Amino acid sequence: MSTSTPPRPRSATTSAPARSRSALPLAGVRAVAFALMAAVAGTALLDAPAPTAAPPPTTAAPAPGAPAPTASGSTVSAASTPVHFTGKAFDTCEAPSVETMRAWRGSPYGAVGIYFGGRGRGCPGQRELNPGWVSSVQAMGWRLLPVFVGSQAPCVEAPAKKPFAIGSDPWGQGTREAGDAVRAARALGLGTSSPLYLDIEAYRRGDAQCAATTLSFVRAWNREVRRLGYLPGFYSSADTGVRDIEAQRRAGTADLPAVMWFARWLGKPALATEPTLAPAAWTPHARIHQYAGNVTESYGGHRLVIDRNAVDAPVARLTTARAGSSSAEPASAPATSSTNPSLSFSSTVSSLPFSSSSTVRSSASPSVHSAVSRAPARP
């Protein structure tokens, strides 16, 4: 990324109704015998053990691009389906000031990546990033891509990231850091069904043990994020992390990311033509392409060093507290429009659930495979 200074309810059981014990007229032996049989049958029904509740159905692991399960294991409701954005986004190491974000509304970008948590962040201070900042920029029309930079592959290439290498318990570590990510997201007012993008920087290719350790960490992180009601997204180099995750998708591995954010610096968007990914993988509304990095841009007199991204993917949903209530509900997200004529797809926001059957439609030019493109190291 940029180098400038994510008790089951019991089944209801119905008891048999109690039999009436009113006196019967003596109409003959047959009538008396019938009454006695009915009484005995009623007693037997009353004393019978209650039926045992059936075990809960087993839920298969969600496919990449499917809606996230909630903490109870069920799929998120229609009221909290992911909100997706299509258009251009930028990310930068530290969240810019509200004034800068206001000035940049005249830019081609409609979304911004925010580094909201993780021990591996290059800019851990984040002086501007707080709930007030989040609500202010959302009100301006910005959409947010929350990025969590936690532990990194043991064979990570960037020297500055080596102190944050995944340890000897990658599954446990991934689960714990997923909890950290969700707590940090909630603290900023990012509601359930928001995507949380796990940043795994480029690592040494061909190191099977390192890749296996990293995969275990990522899968555990994804599973826990899903369990807690958020969408697990994944950012990495197209030639390392993304390539390995795609191989796992082809193999049918569970607990993979719901959204794929791949870095290949081509200089132009190529959402649908990344050679590492199958055309239908992570579609629709589940891809981000970081197509340029460490570029300087200025709008309204405010200059930033950024990475450029093309987006057709989920963005954060904000929560707003109701007056007189401690409960929170997703804040509505008004549509935005693209001001950049060079980006062929319009910038829109909608609340459509994912599916895994169709492909992204984009007129981006086919990419030329670059052997040297990879996610940059963050200081």
Side-chain angles (χ1 to χ4, degrees):
M1 289 265 184
S2 172
T3 59
S4 61
T5 348
R8 180 178 78 249
R10 293 185 178 179
S11 299
T13 56
T14 306
S15 301
R19 300 288 183 177
S20 170
R21 299 187 182 273
S22 59
L24 295 173
L26 297 179
V29 175
R30 185 175 299 173
V32 172
F34 181 83
L36 288 172
M37 290 173 63
V40 170
T43 302
L45 286 171
L46 287 169
D47 293 340
T52 303
T58 301
T59 303
T70 62
S72 63
S74 59
T75 303
V76 292
S77 66
S80 60
T81 51
V83 174
H84 93 269
F85 167 85
T86 304
K88 280 191 171 182
F90 75 91
D91 64 88
T92 188
C93 188
E94 187 166 359
S97 68
V98 169
E99 291 74 21
T100 298
M101 295 301 294
R102 185 175 293 110
W104 272 54
R105 284 307 291 154
S107 74
Y109 305 104
V112 57
I114 55 171
Y115 293 88
F116 74 98
R119 69 189 189 112
R121 285 183 297 177
C123 298
Q126 298 294 334
R127 294 164 296 180
E128 301 287 341
L129 190 56
N130 55 50
W133 185 95
V134 166
S135 60
S136 293
V137 301
Q138 177 87 359
M140 294 178 199
W142 288 102
R143 298 297 161 252
L144 306 179
L145 299 165
V147 183
F148 184 86
V149 191
S151 296
Q152 298 294 307
C155 57
V156 64
E157 290 181 335
K161 297 298 184 186
K162 292 187 184 297
F164 310 113
I166 299 165
S168 59
D169 179 21
W171 191 272
Q173 195 170 351
T175 301
R176 289 190 297 273
E177 292 193 25
D180 294 340
V182 168
R183 283 188 290 274
R186 288 172 176 164
L188 284 176
L190 309 181
T192 54
S193 83
S194 292
L196 306 181
Y197 292 95
L198 176 63
D199 183 325
I200 296 291
E201 297 291 321
Y203 53 85
R204 185 168 60 246
R205 221 172 135 179
D207 188 328
Q209 183 58 49
C210 178
T213 297
T214 305
L215 176 64
S216 180
F217 174 86
V218 171
R219 291 181 60 214
W221 195 90
N222 293 340
R223 177 180 286 193
E224 184 67 1
V225 165
R226 277 193 175 97
R227 188 186 73 81
L228 296 173
Y230 289 75
L231 279 179
F234 182 74
Y235 166 89
S236 192
S237 161
D239 282 333
T240 54
V242 173
R243 182 183 298 274
D244 288 345
I245 292 294
E246 166 65 357
Q248 295 300 318
R249 184 197 66 81
R250 292 173 183 265
T253 302
D255 300 316
L256 296 185
V259 193
M260 183 61 76
W261 188 340
F262 57 95
R264 190 180 292 283
W265 290 2
L266 300 171
K268 57 186 176 182
L271 272 175
T273 54
E274 166 52 42
T276 298
L277 299 174
W282 285 281
T283 63
H285 315 313
R287 285 192 183 193
I288 303 175
H289 177 200
Q290 186 181 90
Y291 62 90
N294 299 332
V295 296
T296 301
E297 296 188 30
S298 181
Y299 297 96
H302 293 254
R303 192 167 107 177
L304 295 173
V305 178
I306 65 166
D307 296 335
R308 296 169 177 164
N309 304 275
V311 181
D312 183 15
V315 291
R317 292 175 65 96
L318 271 59
T319 57
T320 54
R322 292 178 177 176
S325 171
S326 60
S327 63
E329 60 183 4
S332 60
T336 61
S337 59
S338 175
T339 57
N340 180 17
S342 67
L343 190 61
S344 59
F345 45 86
S346 63
S347 172
T348 59
V349 174
S350 63
S351 300
L352 298 178
F354 296 136
S355 95
S356 56
S357 59
S358 59
T359 58
V360 172
R361 289 177 174 83
S362 171
S363 60
S365 302
S367 64
V368 177
H369 185 87
S370 169
V372 298
S373 65
R374 56 174 59 94
R378 189 175 285 281

